[in-house]
Structures are given as structure tokens and as C-alpha cells.
């Protein structure tokens, strides 16, 4: 089977006898590839424009917020509020990144090249999902880190002040993780249904934006229960509902208790369960989708 | 072929097949939704080498390849690839198999080097090894400086080469090539076939080449499997198919029946093929016997020539609706 050794002038075909990495490393390679793809790294300059534009905007906003706070001492937005305020950008980022991650592969027909390799077929969508969650989380989390650094360096209370800031930052980062998980799982599922990038992007935006009027309609219905459950109808308000319930005054400043109550009432746990079910449902459908795709 | 040689330590899945068997199927059947039959009762066993899998479009070639890769589960029957069962051990099979799909499969905005490196890593190669082997594989298929350009700008021939390189990058023991000459011009076809032949002979990698063009694969194959409508037509060494079929074709302007009777009387197994009489060529004496018979009957001899049967003719009578 192997080439005879000692041939100098012609390097013929070399068999490979070295190590072959296991499932975890392969998953890691696919995940890292997806994360790089999300930010257009290793891609054409055109693929970098949009992701980095969004990154620039959120960074500028974070820097502005930090500057205002250090100069005037006014907290424009808390860490958790930052994620809420950036939700539009998150939607558009998801609408660009999700098709880039999955629709492109569907269209180019490269999937048989993946599925004819040793990795289990569920690893492909899971690695892509994890990559997209990470990308969205970085998008929301990195500016919060900027805000934290700004606040930590300008705090007047020494280490105690830094510690307090950190305690505010961590829930903010967790909340950003929830945003990332919900938006990534929905966005990726929608994008995985079509190989056409424009359709996929439109579909993602549609799912996030078309559901907003439903929330609006439900929230002005004459039933208070219905009003308080209205947020379940749209991913953004669902996430905000979970945040209002779990984070309380970190998210809703001012007359916190009342504001929270008027938004979701006592249905906080319902929002949390709904968010978990939504993510689980999307992942299940995504896996089912790729079980079908793999055999084609 | 080579049945009944059970390995002593590595007990084969199928009792009749030895460990030298590359691919073995036993009563393999695949139906889609119980309606469409893609494979029907296919039993075949082949040894390592270059194997041609021929059949018309829709004969079940791609279905067979997907079953071999463990991507499809057969409806019934058993299958073995490299001594492993792809229905239960598909990851192990896929680690040792390289697959080149029939259709377009390359993302246009990646360079060939990036794509093949990435797919090498997905096959479990460490990062630096993947990069080295990717450029080696691309060099072996004849892509040099072009490999740093995006695949979208490649010609069909170059794309086919990239598809072959990605199947080769992780050093498989078996390559499954689905219509590798698809869309290529005659020169490109020849180059691709030469490449496949080189992989099968010099690289020491077994190759299963799928094609609907018999004339193409028979040039490079050791073994030929012909399927039609999901059924096995024939599977054998290519030498066994061609050497036994050298025949003499005799045509006389009149008295064909008389000549046939005369030749039969001379113990020659004559067959009629329209206006032709076909006589198997045993040795040079066959010529003399035929010429003698024609002379004795005083028939006007129109032609007498040796015909080396193309493999296609072996199948011609069995698949009348195709070709």
C-alpha cells in the first residue's frame, strides 16, 4: 500500500499515518470556522462590511454611554438595558449572519462534503448554532465590557466600586446570552430552510418584525391577562419579559416595581419557560431539518 | 469472487466474504416510501482496485454510494465496506472513505486551498497537517497557483479536480467518485480518467467510479459492476469480460444458412446476428476452418474480420431499453 521509501526525485503520493482527531476537535474546528464566517474573517472584503459596521455602531454607542457617565455621572443605560436598546441591530446582524452560516452551504451544495465525513450529522447544525450564539453574544457583550472598563477606571469607590460594577455587568452578560440564544436559534432555523440568502435574510427579519404588531394588538386588548401575556408573541418582547422578571431594576430603572408589573404582571416564570421552550423547539426543528438534508 | 475466505481474527460480517473484500452487499434493497425501488436484491462483492459502477441515469448508482457512506439506511439486506458495516459504524467507514459528489459542491467565495484545508480538518486532520495535505492533494490533481484563487472563477474541469482533491485530502482507503467526468470536454475527460487511474494504481487507493458511460470506465477499471433499475446485471473482472469474447464475424452474400450448418458440423459454436455469423476465435485454425467451409460451399465471401467485443455488447442484450 505505501510508497517505496528512498525515492528522491519524485515526491509521490504520501500516505498519512499520523493522528486523526476525534469528534470534539472536529466540532471545534467547525465552530471556529463558523465564528470566523460570522464576522467575515477569511472571506472577501465585501463579507466583512456589514458585521463590522454593526460592531462599530455598538462600540461607538457603548463608548458614548461610558463617556457621558464618566463626565456627567449620569447612567444613560445599564448593562442589561444596552442589550434591549441594541435589539434592532441584533435583528439585522442575525439576518445577515444566519444566511451566511447556513444558506450559503445549502446553495453551494457543499453539505454532502461535510456529511460524507466522520462527524455525526447533528454536529454540523449544532456547531453553526453555537458559533452564531457566540457571535451575537460577543456583539452585545463586548460593548458592555467597554462600558465596564470605563466605569471601573472612573469609579470613585476604589475596589468596592469595581466590584459593584462587576456585579452589575455579569447579569448583563447573561442577559446578552439569552438574547443571543433566542435570536440565533430562530435566525438559524429560518435561514436553514432556504439556500437563497436574500430570502433567508428577509425571512429572519420578517419573523422578528412581523410579530411585533401582534404584541401591539394584544397589549391593547381589554383583558389585562392578555395584555400581560402579549410579550410572548414576539421574540424580542419575550426576551425582554424574561429580563424584566429576572433582572428587575437592573433592566428597568426608575419606578422599577411598577414598571415591571405593568409589563408582564405575575407571568414572569411563564416568559422564562416560553423562552426555554422556544429555543428547544428551534433546535429540535433545526436538527430535524439537517437529518433530512443529509440524506439528499 | 474470492468467496468463502473468512479472516481468522477479523471475523467478517457476512460469512461468505473474506477480509480482502472491499465492498460487499447481500440482497441489498432500498425503496423510497415503499413505492420507488432504487435498489433491488443487489448482491455483489468486489476486491480492492479500480471498480467501475455503470448504469443508466436512475439505475441506483447514487443510492448505492449513499448506502456505502452510511447516509442512507437500506430497506433490507446487508452491506459491508472495508470490512465495516456502514449502517452501524458509519463514522468509522466515512473516516476511511473519500467521496466526490456528482453535483456542484463548492462554495464559490472560498479558495481551493482554504476549502480543502477546512474539509481536511473536518475529517480529523490536525491544523498544520490539513494545510500540508491540502496543498499536496491539490498538487496531485494538477492545481498549483490557482489554488489561492476563489473557486467561483474556476472552469468545470478545475472544479472537478478540487472535488477530487477534497476526497483525497484525508488519505482514504477507498474513493467513491460519482460521475467524475460530468460536464467535462473530451480532453478533460481523458485527463480525469488518467488521474483516477493513477490514484488507483500509484497511490494504492481503491476507487469506485460511477458513470453512465460504459466506454469511459472500462478503460481504467479492473472490475466492472453494471446495474440497471436497481438490479445487478453483471459484476466481474474486466479481463474476464473481454478476453472470452473475441469473435470472428463472417458475412456471405448468400447461403448464410448453409454456411452456418456447415460450420456447426465442424464443431464450431456458430451464432446468427442478423446477416452475420459469429464464431468464437479459438486460435488461427478457426480462420482456416471458416475459409475452407466457404470455399467448399463456393459462397461469395463478403467479409471476415475479428471483432473484439466491447463490454457494452455484453450488456446490450440485457438492457434493451437503454443505451
Amino acid at each position: 500500500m505505501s510508497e517505496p521509501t528512498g525515492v528522491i526525485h519524485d515526491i509521490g503520493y504520501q500516505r498519512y499515518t499520523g493522528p486523526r482527531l476525534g469528534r470534539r476537535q472536529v466540532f471545534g474546528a467547525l465552530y471556529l470556522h463558523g465564528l470566523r464566517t460570522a464576522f467575515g474573517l477569511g472571506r472577501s472584503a465585501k463579507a466583512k462590511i456589514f458585521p463590522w459596521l454593526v460592531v462599530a455602531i455598538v462600540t461607538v454607542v457603548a463608548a458614548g454611554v461610558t463617556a457621558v457617565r464618566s463626565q456627567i455621572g449620569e447612567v444613560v443605560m445599564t448593562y442589561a438595558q444596552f442589550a434591549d436598546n441594541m435589539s434592532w441591530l441584533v435583528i439585522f446582524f442575525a439576518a445577515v449572519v444566519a444566511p451566511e452560516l447556513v444558506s450559503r452551504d445549502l446553495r453551494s451544495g457543499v453539505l454532502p462534503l461535510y456529511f460524507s465525513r466522520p462527524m455525526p450529522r447533528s454536529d454540523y447544525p449544532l456547531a453553526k448554532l453555537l458559533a452564531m450564539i457566540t457571535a451575537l453574544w460577543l456583539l452585545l457583550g463586548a460593548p458592555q465590557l467597554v462600558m465596564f472598563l470605563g466605569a471601573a477606571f472612573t469609579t470613585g469607590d476604589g475596589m468596592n466600586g469595581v466590584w459593584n460594577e462587576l456585579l452589575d455587568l455579569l447579569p448583563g452578560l447573561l442577559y446578552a446570552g439569552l438574547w443571543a440564544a433566542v435570536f440565533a436559534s430562530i435566525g438559524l432555523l429560518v435561514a436553514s430552510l432556504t439556500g437563497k440568502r436574500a430570502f433567508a435574510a428577509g425571512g429572519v427579519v420578517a419573523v422578528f418584525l412581523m410579530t411585533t404588531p401582534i404584541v401591539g394588538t394584544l397589549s391593547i386588548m381589554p383583558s389585562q391577562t392578555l395584555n400581560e401575556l402579549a410579550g410572548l408573541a414576539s421574540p424580542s418582547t419575550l426576551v425582554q419579559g424574561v429580563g424584566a422578571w429576572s433582572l428587575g431594576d437592573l433592566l428597568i430603572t426608575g419606578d422599577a416595581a411598577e414598571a415591571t408589573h405593568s409589563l408582564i404582571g405575575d407571568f414572569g416564570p411563564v416568559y422564562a419557560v416560553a423562552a426555554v421552550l422556544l429555543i428547544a423547539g428551534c433546535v429540535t426543528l433545526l436538527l430535524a431539518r439537517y437529518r433530512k438534508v443529509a440524506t439528499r | 469472487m474470492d468467496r468463502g475466505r473468512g479472516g481468522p481474527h477479523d471475523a467478517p460480517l457476512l460469512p461468505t466474504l473474506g477480509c480482502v473484500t472491499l465492498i460487499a452487499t447481500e440482497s441489498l434493497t432500498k425503496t423510497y416510501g415503499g413505492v420507488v425501488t432504487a435498489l433491488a436484491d443487489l448482491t455483489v462483492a468486489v476486491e480492492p482496485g479500480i471498480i467501475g459502477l455503470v448504469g443508466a441515469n436512475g439505475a441506483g448508482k447514487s443510492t448505492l454510494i449513499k448506502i456505502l457512506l452510511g447516509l442512507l439506511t437500506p430497506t433490507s439486506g446487508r452491506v459491508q465496506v472495508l470490512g465495516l458495516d456502514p449502517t452501524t459504524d458509519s463514522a468509522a467507514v466515512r473516516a476511511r472513505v473519500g467521496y466526490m459528489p456528482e453535483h456542484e459542491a463548492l462554495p464559490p467565495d472560498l479558495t481551493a486551498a482554504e476549502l480543502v484545508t477546512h474539509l481536511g480538518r473536518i475529517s480529523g486532520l490536525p491544523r498544520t497537517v490539513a494545510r500540508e495535505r491540502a496543498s499536496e492533494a491539490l498538487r496531485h490533481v494538477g492545481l498549483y497557483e490557482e489554488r489561492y484563487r476563489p473557486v467561483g472563477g474556476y472552469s468545470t474541469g478545475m472544479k472537478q479536480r478540487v472535488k477530487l482533491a477534497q476526497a483525497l485530502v484525508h488519505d482514504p482507503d477507498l474513493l467513491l467518485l460519482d460521475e467524475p467526468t460530468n460536464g467535462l470536454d473530451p480532453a478533460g475527460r481523458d485527463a480525469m480518467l488518467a488521474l483516477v487511474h493513477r490514484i488507483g494504481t500509484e497511490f494504492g487507493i481503491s476507487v469506485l467510479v460511477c458513470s453512465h458511460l460504459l466506454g469511459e470506465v472500462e478503460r481504467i477499471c479492473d472490475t466492472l459492476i453494471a446495474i440497471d433499475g436497481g438490479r445487478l446485471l453483471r459484476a466481474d473482472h474486466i479481463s474476464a469480460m473481454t478476453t472470452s469474447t473475441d469473435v470472428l464475424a463472417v458475412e456471405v452474400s448468400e447461403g448464410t444458412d448453409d454456411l452456418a450448418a456447415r460450420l456447426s458440423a465442424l464443431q464450431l459454436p456458430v451464432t446468427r446476428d442478423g446477416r452475420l455469423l459469429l464464431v468464437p476465435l479459438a486460435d488461427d485454425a478457426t480462420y482456416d476452418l471458416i475459409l475452407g467451409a466457404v470455399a467448399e460451399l463456393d459462397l461469395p465471401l463478403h467479409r471476415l474480420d475479428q471483432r473484439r467485443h466491447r463490454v457494452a455488447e455484453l450488456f446490450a442484450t440485457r438492457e434493451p431499453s437503454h443505451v
Side-chain angles (χ1 to χ4, degrees):
Chain A
M1 292 286 269
S2 61
E3 287 284 315
T5 51
V7 180
I8 302 162
H9 52 278
D10 178 28
I11 311 167
Y13 182 75
Q14 310 273 314
R15 301 299 312 229
Y16 177 69
T17 50
R20 287 173 196 261
L21 305 177
R23 180 181 174 185
R24 203 188 318 168
Q25 285 97 331
V26 170
F27 188 90
L30 193 56
Y31 164 74
L32 217 59
H33 183 78
L35 191 56
R36 285 171 54 85
T37 305
F39 288 103
L41 299 175
R43 309 295 285 281
S44 64
K46 219 172 74 184
K48 293 186 180 70
I49 295 173
F50 196 88
W52 288 103
L53 186 70
V54 175
V55 168
I57 292 174
V58 293
T59 312
V60 166
V61 170
V65 167
T66 311
V68 168
R69 187 178 169 187
S70 65
Q71 295 302 313
I72 329 175
E74 187 188 338
V75 180
V76 181
M77 52 177 105
T78 64
Y79 296 112
Q81 280 174 334
F82 182 81
D84 272 6
N85 290 334
M86 293 298 123
S87 63
W88 286 80
L89 280 172
V90 173
I91 290 173
F92 286 113
F93 189 76
V96 170
V97 168
E100 193 71 25
L101 282 173
V102 289
S103 305
R104 221 171 44 93
D105 284 1
L106 280 167
R107 178 152 182 98
S108 63
V110 75
L111 288 174
L113 304 187
Y114 283 106
F115 294 130
S116 62
R117 293 185 142 75
M119 65 167 193
R121 62 184 73 163
S122 60
D123 278 12
Y124 174 86
L126 289 180
K128 296 278 180 180
L129 180 65
L130 216 56
M132 180 153 173
I133 291 175
T134 311
L136 287 174
W137 185 74
L138 285 176
L139 183 74
L140 290 174
Q144 291 185 38
L145 200 65
V146 172
M147 287 161 66
F148 167 75
L149 290 177
F153 280 116
T154 56
T155 181
D157 305 338
M159 280 316 284
N160 204 22
V162 175
W163 179 248
N164 282 337
E165 282 299 324
L166 192 64
L167 289 185
D168 284 353
L169 172 67
L170 291 180
L173 290 180
L174 282 178
Y175 187 50
L178 180 66
W179 271 101
V182 169
F183 278 62
S185 46
I186 297 175
L188 216 56
L189 175 64
V190 173
S192 74
L193 299 177
T194 174
K196 293 197 169 66
R197 255 192 283 185
F199 284 2
V204 173
V205 172
V207 166
F208 289 125
L209 295 192
M210 303 285 266
T211 48
T212 316
I214 304 176
V215 177
T217 312
L218 289 176
S219 63
I220 53 167
M221 296 294 261
S223 156
Q224 203 201 335
T225 312
L226 208 56
N227 296 349
E228 288 170 356
L229 286 173
L232 293 174
S234 173
S236 318
T237 47
L238 172 65
V239 174
Q240 283 164 2
V242 177
W245 169 66
S246 60
L247 299 178
D249 62 347
L250 287 176
L251 190 62
I252 297 149
T253 47
D255 204 346
E258 203 175 300
T260 308
H261 206 79
S262 70
L263 188 64
I264 56 166
D266 295 324
F267 291 109
V270 177
Y271 276 78
V273 170
V276 170
L277 286 180
L278 178 66
I279 296 172
C282 285
V283 173
T284 309
L285 288 175
L286 191 66
L287 291 178
R289 165 75 179 144
Y290 276 92
R291 246 194 309 283
K292 199 176 148 213
V293 169
T295 56
R296 269 211 310 244
Chain B
M1 291 173 290
D2 260 325
R3 282 159 183 271
R5 282 171 60 183
H9 47 271
D10 187 19
L13 177 73
L14 308 177
T16 50
L17 304 166
C19 46
V20 293
T21 311
L22 182 73
I23 296 167
T25 68
E26 196 177 89
S27 306
L28 195 66
T29 301
K30 176 71 189 178
T31 56
Y32 292 104
V35 188
V36 183
T37 302
L39 288 177
D41 199 28
L42 189 76
T43 300
V44 68
V46 287
E47 295 165 29
I50 305 179
I51 300 111
L53 177 63
V54 289
N57 293 330
K61 304 187 295 285
S62 294
T63 301
L64 179 59
I65 283 193
K66 282 183 182 132
I67 290 175
L68 296 179
L69 282 167
L71 295 176
L72 283 179
T73 315
T75 311
S76 65
R78 292 195 289 177
V79 59
Q80 203 180 0
V81 179
L82 298 162
L84 301 161
D85 183 350
T87 55
T88 56
D89 214 0
S90 62
V93 170
R94 291 201 289 261
R96 294 177 60 192
V97 171
Y99 170 51
M100 172 176 173
E102 175 184 359
H103 301 290
E104 190 105 336
L106 306 173
D109 53 349
L110 286 186
T111 69
E114 280 170 333
L115 177 71
V116 177
T117 305
H118 174 61
L119 290 169
R121 294 198 69 193
I122 301 302
S123 281
L125 298 182
R127 189 198 301 264
T128 46
V129 176
R131 200 174 302 131
E132 280 166 22
R133 285 203 62 90
S135 34
E136 281 297 289
L138 287 165
R139 188 173 64 80
H140 282 302
V141 300
L143 288 174
Y144 301 90
E145 293 311 311
E146 308 92 313
R147 65 174 183 258
Y148 300 114
R149 285 198 279 124
V151 174
Y154 283 15
S155 67
T156 310
M158 285 159 76
K159 283 181 183 166
Q160 291 294 87
R161 285 162 190 265
V162 177
K163 276 159 67 178
L164 183 58
Q166 66 78 29
L168 209 54
V169 65
H170 54 291
D171 187 28
D173 295 321
L174 168 65
L175 277 182
L176 301 176
L177 311 180
D178 200 345
E179 305 273 0
T181 57
N182 228 4
L184 300 180
D185 58 29
R189 282 169 183 267
D190 286 347
M192 177 56 76
L193 290 173
L195 194 54
V196 172
H197 185 71
R198 213 177 131 230
I199 291 169
T201 50
E202 287 176 34
F203 294 11
I205 297 172
S206 288
V207 187
L208 178 82
V209 196
C210 244
S211 181
H212 61 281
L213 297 169
L214 179 61
E216 254 180 17
V217 288
E218 72 173 312
R219 279 158 48 190
I220 57 166
C221 291
D222 311 322
T223 311
L224 204 57
I225 304 171
I227 57 175
D228 182 47
R231 291 179 187 282
L232 182 69
L233 290 176
R234 188 162 172 185
D236 210 341
H237 283 292
I238 200 127
S239 52
M241 291 193 188
T242 46
T243 50
S244 63
T245 56
D246 281 358
V247 291
L248 288 175
V250 194
E251 188 180 350
V252 285
S253 303
E254 55 186 89
T256 309
D257 293 329
D258 295 339
L259 181 61
R262 185 62 176 249
L263 290 174
S264 299
L266 290 166
Q267 308 294 319
L268 289 172
V270 178
T271 49
R272 283 287 295 260
D273 180 15
R275 293 160 52 86
L276 291 174
L277 289 177
L278 299 178
V279 184
L281 177 62
D283 50 49
D284 284 346
T286 315
Y287 280 104
D288 299 336
L289 284 173
I290 294 171
L291 288 173
V294 171
E296 275 179 48
L297 293 168
D298 198 20
L299 297 172
L301 182 64
H302 201 67
R303 72 171 185 171
L304 170 64
D305 54 19
Q306 183 182 344
R307 278 216 319 207
R308 183 179 165 85
H309 255 186
R310 305 287 290 182
V311 180
E313 291 166 44
L314 294 176
F315 302 117
T317 52
R318 302 196 197 196
E319 42 178 342
S321 58
H322 298 287
V323 186

